[in-house]
Amino acid sequence: MDKISVPAIIDRKKTGKKISALTAYDFTFAQLLNETPIDLILVGDSLGMVSLGYENTLPVTVEDIIYHLKAVRRGLQKPVLVGDMPFMSYQISNESAVENAGKLVKEGGAEAVKIEGGGKMIERVQATVDAGISVMGHIGLTPQSVHQFGGYRVQGKNFQGARQIKKDAEELQKAGVFSIVLEGIPMELAEEITNNLDVPTIGIGAGVHCDGQILVLQDMLGLNQGFLPKYVKQFAELGSLTQSAVNEYIQSIQTGAFPTDENSYHLKTKSLKKVENQTQS
Ligand code: KIV
């Protein structure tokens, strides 16, 4: 299978072929995903909640993202690899945005970075693009603003909110993003934004009219034990499958059904006693 590039993602807007994207945080899943026709993998700051057990994404550091990017990079060759800019890695200044984006590319092996927010963050996006780094925008329900939103609430439901998100999308495009994640917004708004842009939109909780979709891998595989938003579809039940495999493993240890002869090694000589006798004499 051919390597997918950032320009190939932009091209999808013209060809109309939908973009499929997922998150990944480790080598095992990266290898598995690499053997599928998935277009784009995001090492998202959602790893803070999914892999590290934090309550939200805010404690995630640049070092965390780089650590997981490196693991994914080792298993992933074909899809575009995007690294998420964590909370406070870009908000403070254009310089910090460029410096940290550069680290994700240089040290983590990312081909692009994702930056949350419109408004004041457009300047950060612009500076990063100007530094030669491809940027994916992210607007709507941006999880790093969870406290400002007062929870994970759908954004852009009223006229003013919708108009602001649409304006942010236009400005992100002007700043040079190669795609925009639309998270947690009404599908009608996502459709209007998608029709209005030349760069592809990638939806999560934004309906079917986006140019592509992204989900958290563990959510769609049924590995997440916690709350699932309504936009998540579980395409497998790997959580309960894992638990029944482990239960069976424990049971077979207790009954002696595991390990079998097939799972065991054998001496080359006939018996250990014979070996001992030979070494003593
Ligand atoms: O952090 C993340 O995984 C994300 C995606 C779900 C869009 O931002």
Side-chain angles (χ1 to χ4, degrees), residues 18 34 39 52-55 60 79 81 83 94 104 106 108 127 136 142 158 167 169 183-185 198 205 258 279:
K18 295 264 187 181
N34 195 58
D39 297 308
L52 306 178
Y54 296 136
E55 203 180 311
V60 175
L81 178 59
N94 289 355
L104 301 199
K106 248 179 124 151
M136 172 183 253
T142 44
N158 60 31
K167 187 165 168 267
E183 177 163 355
I185 63 170
D198 297 325
F258 175 82
T279 45

Side-chain angles (χ1 to χ4, degrees), residues 2 42 50 55 61 65 90 104 134 141 143 146-147 152 164 179 187-188 199 202 209 237 246 251 260 273 277:
D2 289 341
L42 170 72
V50 177
E55 203 180 311
T61 64
I65 298 286
Y90 59 93
L104 301 199
S134 299
L141 199 184
V146 59
H147 295 311
Y152 296 103
Q164 184 58 49
S179 61
M187 62 183 290
E188 299 83 3
V199 292
I202 301 183
H209 301 295
E237 299 265 347
V246 172
Q251 190 69 14
T260 63
K273 267 230 162 72
N277 290 342

Side-chain angles (χ1 to χ4, degrees), residues 23 25 42-47 57 84 114 116 138 143 181 183 204 214-216:
T23 64
Y25 317 120
L42 170 72
V43 175
D45 61 359
S46 53
L47 70 85
T57 60
D84 219 355
K114 177 168 77 60
E116 284 189 16
H138 184 170
V181 170
E183 177 163 355
I204 173 162
I214 185 163
L215 282 176
V216 168

Side-chain angles (χ1 to χ4, degrees), residues 135-212:
V135 177
M136 172 183 253
H138 184 170
I139 49 177
L141 199 184
T142 44
Q144 290 174 21
S145 306
V146 59
H147 295 311
Q148 257 183 343
F149 294 150
Y152 296 103
R153 296 176 199 283
V154 175
Q155 300 295 304
K157 275 184 157 179
N158 60 31
F159 179 73
Q160 262 186 338
R163 198 170 58 176
Q164 184 58 49
I165 294 171
K166 191 174 169 201
K167 187 165 168 267
D168 284 339
E170 285 164 1
E171 287 180 2
L172 280 171
Q173 173 166 282
K174 259 192 227 147
V177 296
F178 76 95
S179 61
I180 302 178
V181 170
L182 300 177
E183 177 163 355
I185 63 170
M187 62 183 290
E188 299 83 3
L189 173 60
E191 183 177 17
E192 196 172 325
I193 292 172
T194 300
N195 291 339
N196 190 41
L197 294 180
D198 297 325
V199 292
T201 59
I202 301 183
I204 173 162
V208 72
H209 301 295
C210 297
D211 298 305

